[in-house]
Amino acid sequence: LRLLRPDDAPALIAFAESLPPHDLLFLLRDIRNPRVVAAWIEQVERGLIRSIVAVENGEIVGCTALARDELSWSPHVADIRLLVSPRMRGTGFGRVLAQECVTMAMADGVSKLTARLTPDQGAALTVFEDLGFRPEALLRDHVRDNDGELHDIAIMALDLDRQGGIKTLYGMG
């Protein structure tokens, strides 16, 4: 695991292209697009997004983003975005990446974390529930895939200020 670097752009696009398209629906933008990845990396360089990549034999097998807009009405809120290679699923690897995001959020003074996912992503739902996230919203027919099909988006949240035990768990309080 390491922080995302500017030279990771080609590997990040290759990683995104290797994923089933359905896995990308919860993201606000299509990270298979080089312009989207360039904007992401630019936001990382400006400190607006914190991202971790997991690299195995030179190939990205997982990535995270912790996105927060300190100029918005919700500077205390950050959004976790998490992608894991299908071959790494079921190993606990996604949980490790999610925990790293929670740790980064606490270190940054974030009060609330949100995670977006499609409701059929059972393993991801379980990971977030185990970390203390709870469902907050269901956005019906919120995204349209490349075939024109509509899909729901679930939003889960974790209030770090109310989860005193979680800070202790991560050695932060």
Side-chain angles (χ1 to χ4, degrees), residues 4 11 20-21 31 33-34 46 83 97 100 107 112 115 168 170:
L4 178 69
I31 63 168
N33 181 325
R46 290 180 45 212
L83 289 165
L97 288 175
E100 288 293 322
K112 182 177 182 177
T168 302
Y170 289 104

Side-chain angles (χ1 to χ4, degrees), residues 5-162:
R5 301 185 308 231
D7 63 338
D8 286 325
L12 194 54
I13 293 167
F15 169 65
E17 289 174 344
S18 76
L19 297 171
H22 184 82
D23 287 3
L24 304 173
L25 292 178
F26 73 93
L27 298 172
L28 298 176
R29 295 183 177 163
D30 185 352
I31 63 168
R32 297 172 297 184
N33 181 325
R35 288 180 50 205
V36 170
V37 171
W40 176 3
I41 289 173
E42 187 265 334
Q43 288 185 319
V44 167
E45 290 177 320
R46 290 180 45 212
L48 302 174
I49 294 178
R50 294 189 61 191
S51 288
I52 295 173
V53 290
V55 181
E56 181 181 70
N57 299 323
E59 176 186 341
I60 292 178
V61 294
C63 67
T64 69
L66 186 64
R68 179 179 180 193
D69 184 353
E70 293 193 17
L71 299 177
S72 76
W73 291 107
S74 303
H76 61 290
V77 178
D79 186 43
I80 289 179
R81 299 170 191 150
L82 174 70
L83 289 165
V84 175
S85 168
R87 68 183 169 87
M88 299 296 289
R89 294 177 189 166
T91 65
F93 180 62
R95 183 176 311 275
V96 168
L97 288 175
Q99 288 170 333
E100 288 293 322
C101 280
V102 171
T103 300
M104 280 193 311
M106 288 187 303
D108 289 350
V110 170
S111 299
K112 182 177 182 177
L113 281 171
T114 61
R116 295 167 43 103
L117 51 153
T118 56
D120 59 351
Q121 293 176 304
L125 282 165
T126 299
V127 165
F128 286 115
E129 284 177 341
D130 288 351
L131 290 173
F133 283 75
R134 296 295 170 248
E136 284 207 351
L138 179 66
L139 307 175
R140 296 196 185 280
D141 297 334
H142 195 70
V143 295
R144 186 182 314 269
D145 64 23
N146 289 337
D147 296 326
E149 254 185 85
L150 294 171
H151 300 271
D152 298 343
I153 293 292
I155 299 176
M156 300 183 76
L158 173 64
D159 187 331
L160 291 171
D161 286 345
R162 291 188 182 143

